[in-house]
């Protein structure tokens, strides 16, 4: 299935000051089963891995600009991969994978209720190829930077989010049919909250 879905241009002048987003951020797990718009999904994906104006660098820092992360987008309707260079989604399946993803995350139920989970998968060799063993820690640090952007962006959009590090790697790889070169390392679940 090859369907490229263009995302609306990311908004770079939101109405919530950064300090306020930092001050109000909390892990939120009580999600409403309300879909997000493509604009909201695109904005969250952009905050994590979008390109800057020049098209060379991304919204989150990367050791040596090696960019080991790939971002997968699980919604209540479909499953896609975010394409930073196009600011688009490459739809991989028209299927709601949330229940199986929640099972792979040791039954964390909010993953099934929330309309969106962004999954970071890493190709470690992109970074270890340059930095050797030390590159492994750089990859995890980078995922933290990108995830924090999502948390703050979610707050600025009036949404809530929570980091998810507790999951069975092999089970998540199976649910998302990840290729052998990619390992799931982190997730952020987001949506409207009670
Ligand atoms: C690396 C990492 C992994 C986490 N994994 C999970 C998780 O699997 N499930 C969950 O509900 N919260 C998870 N959290 C969220 C923490 O529980 C939360 O940040 C902590 O309780 C502090 O609350 P706060 O985020 O509201 O400040 C994770 C946080 C981090 C930084």
């Amino acid at each position: 299935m090859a369907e490229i879905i263009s995302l609306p241009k990311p908004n770079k002048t939101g109405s919530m000051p950064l300090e306020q987003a930092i001050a109000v951020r909390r892990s939120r797990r009580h999600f409403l089963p309300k879909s997000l718009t493509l604009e909201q999904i695109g904005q969250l994906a952009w905050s994590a891995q979008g390109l800057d104006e020049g098209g060379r660098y991304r919204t989150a820092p990367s050791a040596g600009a090696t960019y080991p992360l790939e971002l997968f987008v699980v919604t209540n309707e479909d499953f896609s991969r975010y394409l930073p260079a196009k600011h688009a989604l490459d739809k991989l399946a028209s299927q709601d994978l949330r229940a199986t993803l929640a099972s792979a995350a040791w039954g964390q139920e909010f993953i099934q209720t929330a309309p969106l989970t962004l999954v970071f998968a890493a190709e470690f060799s992109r970074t270890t190829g340059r930095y050797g063993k030390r590159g492994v820690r750089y990859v995890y640090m980078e995922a933290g930077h990108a995830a924090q952007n999502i948390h703050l962006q979610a707050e600025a959009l009036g949404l809530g989010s929570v980091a998810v590090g507790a999951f069975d790697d092999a089970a998540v790889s199976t649910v998302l049919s990840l290729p052998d070169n990619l390992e799931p390392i982190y997730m952020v679940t987001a949506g409207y909250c009670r």
Side-chain angles (χ1 to χ4, degrees):
M1 169 184 243
E3 190 186 341
I4 304 296
I5 301 163
S6 292
L7 293 163
K9 248 178 149 3
N11 184 3
K12 296 176 187 170
T13 52
S15 54
M16 182 183 287
L18 176 62
E19 293 80 358
Q20 192 182 339
I22 292 172
V24 298
R25 184 214 61 83
R26 280 271 74 80
S27 291
R28 303 185 201 281
R29 301 177 181 84
H30 300 288
F31 295 100
L32 299 172
K34 181 178 174 187
S35 300
L36 297 184
T37 62
L38 259 192
E39 196 167 9
Q40 290 168 317
I41 294 168
Q43 190 74 30
L44 292 165
W46 170 82
S47 75
Q49 285 292 282
L51 293 192
D52 72 352
E53 295 292 347
R56 163 85 177 90
Y57 297 101
R58 298 191 185 181
T59 48
S62 176
T66 50
Y67 299 116
L69 301 179
E70 296 289 334
L71 188 63
F72 291 88
V73 180
V74 174
T75 78
N76 47 323
E77 291 178 352
D78 48 31
F79 166 55
S80 341
R81 184 178 192 142
Y82 178 60
L83 304 175
K86 293 193 162 98
H87 188 54
L89 296 177
D90 178 7
K91 197 196 268 198
L92 301 172
S94 294
Q95 206 184 335
D96 180 355
L97 296 177
R98 293 176 302 162
T100 43
L101 190 60
S103 303
W106 312 117
Q108 299 193 68
E109 277 185 18
F110 56 79
I111 295 173
Q112 192 171 342
T113 316
L116 175 70
T117 293
L118 296 168
V119 182
F120 290 100
E123 185 168 47
F124 282 90
S125 61
R126 294 181 201 167
T127 308
T128 56
R130 176 153 342 159
Y131 297 107
K133 232 175 83 186
R134 196 168 184 84
V136 172
R137 78 167 73 179
Y138 292 165
V139 172
Y140 291 117
M141 288 172 177
E142 183 170 332
H145 288 296
Q148 182 71 0
N149 279 4
I150 301 173
H151 295 312
L152 298 178
Q153 179 69 81
E155 294 291 344
L157 293 174
L159 304 171
S161 67
V162 59
V164 178
F167 53 83
D168 178 328
D169 298 355
V172 170
S173 293
T174 302
V175 170
L176 303 185
S177 308
L178 292 182
D180 288 346
N181 59 323
L182 291 179
E183 289 179 40
I185 59 169
Y186 207 17
M187 307 187 200
V188 179
T189 297
Y192 289 96
C193 290
R194 265 189 270 139

